Amino acid sequence: MMQCIFLLSDSGEVMLEKQLTGHRVDRSICAWFWEQSIAQGDSFKFMPVIASPTHYIFQVFREGITFLACTQVEMPPLMATEFLCRVADVLSDYLGGLNEDLIKDNFVIVYELLDEMIDNGFPLTTEPNILREMIAPPNIVSKMLSVVTGTSSNVSNTLPVATASCVPWRKMDPKNTSNEVYVDLVEEMDAIISRDGTLVKCEIYGEVQVNSHLSGLPDLTLSFANASILNDVRFHPCVRLRPWESQQILSFVPPDGQFKLMSYRVKKLKNIPIYVKPQLSSDSGMCRISVLVGIKNDPRKPIDSITVEFQLPPCVLSANLTPNHGTVNILASKTCSWSIGRLPKDKAPSLSGTLVLAAGLERLPVFPTFQVGFRVMGIALSGLQMDKLDFKNLPSRPYKGFRGLTRAGEYQVRS
Amino acid sequence: MFTQFGATAESLSKASTMVFRIGTDAHLYDDPDDVNIAPLLDSKFDSEKCEALKRLLALIAQGFDVSNFFPQVVKNVASQSIEVKKLVYLYLLHYAEKRPNEALLSINYFQKDLGDTNPLVRAWALRTMAGIRLHVIAPLVLVAVSKCARDPSVYVRKCAANALPKVHDLRLEENTAAIEELVGFLLNDNSPGVIGAAAAAFASVCPTNLSLIGRNYRRLCETLPDVEEWGQIVLIGILLRYAIARHGLVKESIMLSSRDLENIASENGASDTYQKGNEDSNAYFGLKESNADLTNGVCKSEVVDIVSRSYLEGPDKYLSKHRCADVLSSELEGLHFTSAKDNEDIKILLLCTSPLLWSHNSAVVLAAAGVHWIMAPKEDIQKIVKPLLFLMRSSNSSKYVVLCNIQVFSKAVPSLFAPHFEDFFMSPSDSYQVKALKLEILSTIATESSISSIFQEFQDYVKDPDRKFAADTVAAIGLCAQQFPKVANTCLEGLLALASHATDGEAIVLLQAIYSIKAIIGKDPSSNEKVIVHLIRSLESIRVPAARGMIIWMVGEYSDIGNVIPKVLPVVLKYLARCFTVEEVETKLQILNACGKVLLHSKEEELWAYRKVLSYMLDLARCDLNYDIRDRARFIKELLSCYIGSSDTEEGKAQQESRDVSRVLAGRIFGGQIKAPSSEQFSARFYLPGSLSHVVLHAAPGYEPLPRPCSLNFEDPSINSNIVEGAKRPGDGATQSESYTDDPDSVSGSLNEESTSDYSYADSIGGSDGTGGSNVSSSLSEVDVHKEPLIHLSEVGYPNANPDGGSHVDNQYSGSNNLGELISTRSLESWLDENPNSGHNLSEPSSIRKSSARISIGHIHGRVEPKICALLDPANGNGLSVDYAFSSELSSLSPLLVCLQVSFKNCSTEPMMNLQLVEDNKRQDSSDHASAMTESSSHGDVPSLVPMEEIANLGPSETINIMLQVRFRHHLLPLKLVLWCNGKTYPVKLRPDIGYFVRPLPMDIGVFSAKEAQLPGMFEYTRRCIFTDHIGELKKGDKPGTNDQFLVICECLAVKVLSNANFFLVSVDMPVSANLDDASGLRLRFSGELLSNSVPCLVTLVLEGTCFEPLNILVKVNCEETVFGLNLLNRIVNLLAEPARG
């Protein structure tokens, strides 16, 4: 089981330590960790499990904050990783983001949360809904109150009733003035387009996000028109697994508020909404580059927030790039970012220019990979369709809303 | 004024963050000690207390030690404010162990809170009380836990289950039964929430007591989907272990598939290609072509076999024995199988774990997949593939762990993942490790149909900016090309293009490309002649020495193949000869070799030309700076003298013969077919899926392989549970010896052997048996009564002499001749031996010991003389000489104090006045500030030096001895003191000796072994050193009849250790072997406990070597205090290694 949790800032400072068991872990292990990560660079930063001379370290890196858990004995590594991810999720939910200042400013809450989330190295309460009832998130009102009155308590003095119920994710009997439920299909499209323009792989990772404000203990049933296209699925604990097994129906008692009901994957898709055609030709210390962007299969909904990003190879000295639409920025990390926004009606956006290579280099040895970003509102490109949403146990019919959204995930075009 | 405005942007953003931070605890974190905390703690307002506590927490978060506030904080436990309470608890848990006495003060409040009507208060009180971890209150906590285990609130019951491991951690023997009973009780709970926590408690308290599970197995399976996610992870593992221990492996599962696999393969039409692949090379287990027939699941039989055995036995054990494969297989045959189709228990386990494959917790999915992998019938394993692949989406950190597991699955059953090869294509966010794993998996699961798409991908990866990854890709291409001869040509073309285009900065890619080409050509050299020629042509442009070396190797190896190569050969050789001098060493060596081979293979007509080139090169090499090359040249010259020197004048017959011999020899050396190393598959280690050990690739402490199939056999669990419980606890002395009696033949066998050996102790064994047996303990205290060493063969058998259960089996195994008998008893033993530290067996000397005798060295204490160190030299102290020696006496004042015998000697002719040693008061720097505060704030603390009474007068050449009590704050740093004499001060330094930070802890060997077993893994430190003192001692002791060599060695060692450290000598074991000179296996054990906190500390010395040679000693220290243990180990090693004075 985990013996200690450390939170490190992006400069390697130990912001917080929480000892979990009797076997204390000295914080010098963080110094060791940081030295190693400086010495070994990125490949170490992404090692989720590290065997240090004295402990095994599990690492999760989120928005500049490094979460470390240490243990000396055998335990499922994913349990530690998953737990640290939950901690990161809960903290960023509570603090409205994650960074060094936020954690330092709210260190008491972080401590209180950690204390509720883990006991003796074993996760205790990780359900955000219950945590919210036990420890109040910091908000403007409580901040102002504390300034004015000097007294505030963010620790609830009663045990959330849900800890005892069979639906621990739901507050008991919440009273909502609004009686509504929104179901969103949020999809990310991953695609690989090879050098010769063929589609190597295209798949969609999607989530069914539900925002429910219903009173009482409602029982919902959601069914899809074409559930058979779903390749892989994962569910929120509230989903009853048997009905899905037999009929592919989602039957659940929803938590209150926003949550992720289900995630799924649809593989082997054939249609991509936009194309990006990079062309690079390189000789005599120069490289000419031109990139064309256009619609490939019209999703019949507007595509916006189109961006094309690529990393300039290290041997490029300078770049001169001009677009006929949108703006180009070259960041300090040699990332070149072309933001197009919406596709103009009259012309196909293109980017052209030249790269100057380092002295002595005749040709560009490696060509960059282009990352494409876009967003299509109002449609789930996987083609998944919701059939109907039924309610039981509700005094009045609530308002229902459905939406779809697709954006680019890892949408890469090789050159 | 205006300059202030100049800094607008920055100060504005600062100001805005300041506004934003108002009302948070930011200022507390930034300046936690800008106010005096102590008065705030005593304030009557909760808000001020809160603030003070928050400041303390901030200090803890920043790594400061604020335990000196403990007494004041503890008082606030009584607060009614729930927030104050929470903060106090947080503080208390952090420091309770450090301040046990004050922590005790809080117990009453916890007791009161346990009766509170608010379940939250009850739960918190229980959690904190158990978290304090004091031995004294363990019984109280246990009562509280058993009360809370029956609490109406689910949350409180859950916390009770969580508290059990905390109590168990204290390792109080008398509580074990009660704790296990409570675990059983809580496993019976109605609420799934409690069951999860109880499962976690079970896993850490009594993971082997599977009979507890037996009672509830079905119910646990049924509630599994409702248990909360973290509990599910643990519970799945427990249920799997139970099912295997109770019912054995499933005969349709992958675990047992290797046995009938051959049948499947030959029945299938695929056998043709299969065999062809096999003939080509056995080296790569990825050779067999999967026929993509999923339901039949073509597995890699060897891999599956190793995997399943490693799961069952732990890879270390398996690897150490894998040579006796026949024994093992017969052993596996004897396993009991069950069928997933008929067995209800296994059916229900699989049924209830399959929905968990959809869990949103990746650890749950992986655990469930592990169960199916091991238990499910082969045709159902397909089920785990998609969930596992989906796991890769969950987060970047889990991706790596999941891939590690998929890697093994795919190695064993490539067809499982073959259709999903696209999932293993790289994504830009992958780290290098993930990419490398994906590459390996891709090259494992490639099939005829997918190989072309995979190659397309590989071609893109070769252009990746990460050149290391590109090189790995090239290696993978080589691997695939060897598997699929159809694509070999395409691969070769690609690789050749790569090799010729590679620029200088790409050494690793180039090297890997040439290596892959070499491997591909090696499969079919004759049809790839053009490629070789092409490579030879590019020699000029390739400048990487290793790559050149490989090409030159090919020149030599394939010099007689095809038509073109022999033609270009003379030119090539000339070219090589010309550039020989400018080559790197490795290339030069290859050139010499290649020339040798060419000469060997050459036909008569070219012989002369080659001979000339070679002798030219040999001449060059003989003058080379590098001696490796000179050696090689000499060697080749000798070896090929018959070829080189055949034009010389005619030789005699004898020379003719030797020429024939060397011709054959040369043919063997240069013409021998090099086998690709086939050890790769055997060195692969497999651990249970989803385990930490599997990711780090060594057995982590606490890793246990699967239980022995069908080892849990009982009719009525309620009756037999106690027996099973007893038998399953590793390190339990009683049961170990019990298991030993199962095997009487091997014991008596070794006994006989012993008596027949001409062991010089034979007389004394018999003679002292009567007295020695009973007097062991007394002989230690009555030092002078027994001058004669007492020897008694206390344990003839091995188990007790070796606390490490793991190697005990091996020993027995090698000691006995009758393997059949062994195997029958092994099933019980493997239960006993599933101790967590099987990974550490490697450090045990592997020599075969049949039995050992235990001797006691009675008069040793007479010879122990503490080392005397000088505190003040007479030259520096105006004739005053002060010496000190660490004393084995214990301070009566405080356990933190160490006693020293200080002797003041006046070497001058005048009397000396007012001698006194006092603490150096000048050092009040910041580092000591905290400790000074500690002293002032709390009672009962100890100063660095107990004030010593002044010596009023010290006459000329008079000596006064004084007992000094000192507290060293640090194990290693000297303590600065000031010596007053005649009104003058002398600064002196007292150097601590870590050996005296312990006091002897008398115990017998049984206790020692038990304690040792409790301190495995991280608490065990070993080092080796060479000991030479005994040689001189042995030479001195001339009376061979009275003094035995072993005794002398033991005494030497014991005296040396005891003279430098305050330990108790527990036992001396010596091997009873036929070889008189062999001291290997001699084992000394010492025990002590730390002065400050009574943590036991065990030292074991194991000897290797022969009596009159320097001995190799393995020093092992077991101690919970990591830093102390390591320091002590270093001290002992240095001590033993340094030769004796005089």
Side-chain angles (χ1 to χ4, degrees), chain B residues 763-774 791-793:
Chain B
D763 291 354
S764 55
I765 294 169
S768 62
D769 212 22
T771 53
S774 56
I791 300 161
H792 69 131
L793 286 163

Side-chain angles (χ1 to χ4, degrees), chain A residues 15 24 27 43 47 54 56 74 82 105 115-116 126 152 157 190 195 232 235 267 371 410 414, chain B residues 21 25 29 61 83 86 94 118 127 230 358 362 393 423 428-429 433 457 460 692-693 698 701:
Chain A
M15 293 190 291
R24 269 157 202 286
R27 58 166 63 199
S43 67
M47 280 296 283
T54 54
Y56 301 104
E74 170 70 46
E82 187 82 27
D105 295 355
D115 197 53
E116 289 307 329
T126 47
S152 81
N157 54 2
D190 293 356
R195 271 164 235 285
D232 310 319
F235 300 118
K267 293 206 284 189
Q371 295 287 336
E410 284 177 342
R414 295 175 182 153
Chain B
R21 293 173 79 173
D25 302 317
Y29 191 92
E83 188 170 26
K86 183 85 204 166
H94 197 84
N118 186 346
R127 279 175 60 191
W230 311 106
W358 296 323
S362 38
R393 274 299 312 217
D423 280 315
S429 60
Q433 288 93 341
E457 276 294 294
D460 281 349
L692 172 62
S693 306
H698 62 251

Side-chain angles (χ1 to χ4, degrees), chain B residues 258-511:
Chain B
S258 57
R259 221 142 283 102
D260 43 28
L261 187 84
E262 276 77 8
N263 309 336
I264 296 175
S266 54
E267 278 164 25
N268 277 350
S271 55
D272 271 349
T273 44
Y274 166 84
Q275 272 167 8
K276 204 196 283 166
N278 233 15
E279 274 164 17
D280 281 342
S281 154
N282 293 322
Y284 293 98
F285 46 81
L287 266 178
K288 279 180 260 166
E289 287 167 34
S290 1
N291 51 359
D293 184 356
L294 295 174
T295 48
N296 241 333
V298 174
C299 327
K300 311 290 180 187
S301 64
E302 320 95 283
V303 185
V304 171
D305 202 33
I306 301 170
V307 167
S308 65
R309 279 175 194 183
S310 325
Y311 286 170
L312 279 174
E313 308 185 20
D316 299 320
K317 231 188 226 173
Y318 169 66
L319 283 176
S320 65
K321 290 193 296 189
H322 83 261
R323 283 186 200 122
C324 331
D326 47 346
V327 179
L328 268 167
S329 62
S330 65
E331 184 189 316
L332 266 179
E333 296 304 344
L335 295 178
H336 304 274
F337 309 135
T338 183
S339 161
K341 288 174 184 123
D342 311 332
N343 191 312
E344 287 300 318
D345 274 3
I346 289 180
K347 245 194 224 168
I348 196 172
L349 175 66
L350 292 174
L351 193 69
C352 293
T353 45
S354 54
L356 298 184
L357 292 169
W358 296 323
S359 168
H360 75 149
N361 187 320
S362 38
V364 176
V365 178
L366 189 55
V371 170
H372 282 257
W373 172 248
I374 292 170
M375 298 299 271
K378 272 199 292 285
E379 54 270 23
D380 291 350
I381 292 185
Q382 200 56 33
K383 223 179 198 172
I384 69 173
V385 172
K386 282 181 176 178
L388 279 176
L389 292 174
F390 202 23
L391 277 191
M392 292 200 288
R393 274 299 312 217
S394 60
S395 77
N396 265 331
S397 317
S398 40
K399 198 187 253 179
Y400 175 74
V401 178
V402 174
L403 280 169
C404 280
N405 285 286
I406 291 182
Q407 184 200 13
V408 172
F409 296 157
S410 65
K411 252 185 196 165
V413 192
S415 58
L416 215 48
F417 291 92
H420 302 276
F421 63 92
E422 284 183 348
D423 280 315
F424 300 102
F425 288 171
M426 312 299 149
S427 84
S429 60
D430 288 342
S431 65
Y432 171 73
Q433 288 93 341
V434 168
K435 284 179 179 168
L437 273 173
K438 280 185 171 175
L439 267 184
E440 202 182 332
I441 295 172
L442 273 177
S443 50
T444 315
I445 62 172
T447 60
E448 290 283 344
S449 52
S450 62
I451 188 70
S452 56
S453 328
I454 293 178
F455 262 128
Q456 282 290 315
E457 276 294 294
F458 280 175
Q459 277 165 23
D460 281 349
Y461 301 157
V462 169
K463 296 178 184 133
D464 195 280
D466 180 356
R467 296 324 281 167
K468 201 170 156 214
F469 169 61
D472 289 351
T473 310
V474 172
I477 292 177
L479 218 58
C480 287
Q482 290 172 67
Q483 283 182 57
F484 302 99
K486 278 183 201 162
V487 290
N489 277 330
T490 340
C491 289
L492 276 177
E493 276 167 29
L495 291 171
L496 277 179
L498 193 68
S500 49
H501 287 135
T503 49
D504 283 344
E506 310 217 284
I508 48 171
V509 179
L510 176 65
L511 198 61

Side-chain angles (χ1 to χ4, degrees), chain B residues 151-337:
Chain B
D151 199 281
S153 159
V154 175
Y155 187 71
V156 177
R157 293 207 298 273
K158 196 167 142 188
C159 289
N162 271 330
L164 285 171
K166 300 183 197 172
V167 190
H168 181 255
D169 258 4
L170 296 174
R171 301 201 177 279
L172 294 176
E173 292 302 322
E174 66 269 22
N175 292 340
T176 325
I179 294 173
E180 289 189 15
E181 199 191 315
L182 274 172
V183 172
F185 177 80
L186 285 165
L187 277 174
N188 240 331
D189 202 282
N190 286 324
S191 160
V194 181
I195 289 179
F202 176 88
S204 73
V205 172
C206 48
T208 50
N209 188 356
L210 291 172
S211 60
L212 274 182
I213 302 298
R215 291 181 224 151
N216 302 313
Y217 177 76
R218 292 288 172 88
R219 206 175 47 80
L220 288 175
C221 283
E222 277 155 14
T223 40
L224 186 60
D226 299 323
V227 171
E228 51 170 18
E229 42 192 326
W230 311 106
Q232 281 173 349
I233 305 169
V234 184
L235 191 55
I236 291 171
I238 296 173
L239 292 174
L240 171 66
R241 278 166 200 274
Y242 171 81
I244 287 181
R246 181 78 182 82
H247 301 290
L249 297 173
V250 178
K251 70 169 177 278
E252 300 94 346
S253 74
I254 206 93
M255 294 280 284
L256 293 172
S257 63
S258 57
R259 221 142 283 102
D260 43 28
L261 187 84
E262 276 77 8
N263 309 336
I264 296 175
S266 54
E267 278 164 25
N268 277 350
S271 55
D272 271 349
T273 44
Y274 166 84
Q275 272 167 8
K276 204 196 283 166
N278 233 15
E279 274 164 17
D280 281 342
S281 154
N282 293 322
Y284 293 98
F285 46 81
L287 266 178
K288 279 180 260 166
E289 287 167 34
S290 1
N291 51 359
D293 184 356
L294 295 174
T295 48
N296 241 333
V298 174
C299 327
K300 311 290 180 187
S301 64
E302 320 95 283
V303 185
V304 171
D305 202 33
I306 301 170
V307 167
S308 65
R309 279 175 194 183
S310 325
Y311 286 170
L312 279 174
E313 308 185 20
D316 299 320
K317 231 188 226 173
Y318 169 66
L319 283 176
S320 65
K321 290 193 296 189
H322 83 261
R323 283 186 200 122
C324 331
D326 47 346
V327 179
L328 268 167
S329 62
S330 65
E331 184 189 316
L332 266 179
E333 296 304 344
L335 295 178
H336 304 274
F337 309 135

Side-chain angles (χ1 to χ4, degrees), chain A residues 129-383:
Chain A
N129 275 306
I130 302 184
L131 285 172
R132 277 183 174 278
E133 279 188 66
M134 287 178 139
I135 293 148
N139 55 43
I140 296 296
V141 181
S142 74
K143 277 181 197 169
M144 296 320 285
L145 254 180
S146 76
V147 171
V148 177
T149 61
T151 55
S152 81
S153 168
N154 51 3
V155 184
S156 149
N157 54 2
T158 51
L159 187 68
V161 199
T163 53
S165 78
C166 52
V167 279
W169 52 86
R170 189 171 175 84
K171 294 188 207 181
M172 272 304 129
D173 204 18
K175 299 269 189 298
N176 280 308
T177 46
S178 54
N179 188 24
E180 54 192 14
V181 57
Y182 297 99
V183 182
D184 295 352
L185 291 183
V186 181
E187 302 195 332
E188 275 181 19
M189 180 178 266
D190 293 356
I192 301 174
I193 293 125
S194 71
R195 271 164 235 285
D196 50 6
T198 52
L199 187 61
V200 176
K201 175 175 129 176
C202 178
E203 61 180 43
I204 274 189
Y205 168 79
E207 289 178 357
V208 181
Q209 292 180 353
V210 179
N211 195 353
S212 120
H213 298 282
L214 302 170
S215 308
L217 200 66
D219 201 329
L220 276 63
T221 316
L222 176 67
S223 58
F224 295 103
N226 49 353
S228 57
I229 65 164
L230 299 176
N231 282 73
D232 310 319
V233 282
R234 297 175 84 176
F235 300 118
H236 189 274
C238 70
V239 177
R240 300 191 184 96
L241 301 170
R242 297 255 177 267
W244 175 264
E245 244 176 342
S246 53
Q247 299 161 272
Q248 305 210 300
I249 294 173
L250 292 170
S251 160
F252 58 100
V253 177
D256 207 37
Q258 177 88 30
F259 69 100
K260 188 171 90 186
L261 179 70
M262 166 188 177
S263 52
Y264 58 88
R265 185 157 71 155
V266 180
K267 293 206 284 189
K268 299 203 196 268
L269 290 167
K270 293 282 176 276
N271 292 332
I272 49 173
I274 56 172
Y275 69 82
V276 173
K277 280 189 187 147
Q279 278 182 326
L280 284 93
S281 60
S282 171
D283 53 26
S284 60
M286 299 278 279
C287 177
R288 267 181 303 283
I289 183 167
S290 86
V291 187
L292 282 173
V293 178
I295 288 191
K296 184 144 188 184
N297 297 295
D298 194 349
R300 287 190 297 279
K301 296 271 177 187
I303 308 175
D304 59 12
S305 312
I306 301 177
T307 56
V308 177
E309 274 190 2
F310 61 99
Q311 187 79 30
L312 293 173
C315 58
V316 170
L317 281 186
S318 66
N320 178 22
L321 300 167
T322 44
N324 69 354
H325 184 85
T327 52
V328 172
N329 282 312
I330 299 179
L331 308 174
S333 55
K334 280 202 167 175
T335 305
C336 188
S337 157
W338 176 27
S339 44
I340 301 168
R342 257 173 211 235
L343 288 177
K345 288 206 172 63
D346 47 342
K347 58 187 170 183
S350 74
L351 173 78
S352 57
T354 50
L355 309 177
V356 180
L357 308 184
L361 264 183
E362 188 68 9
R363 288 178 299 130
L364 201 61
V366 287
F367 287 156
T369 298
F370 294 79
Q371 295 287 336
V372 183
F374 61 82
R375 198 173 61 167
V376 191
M377 299 291 283
I379 191 167
L381 282 181
S382 68

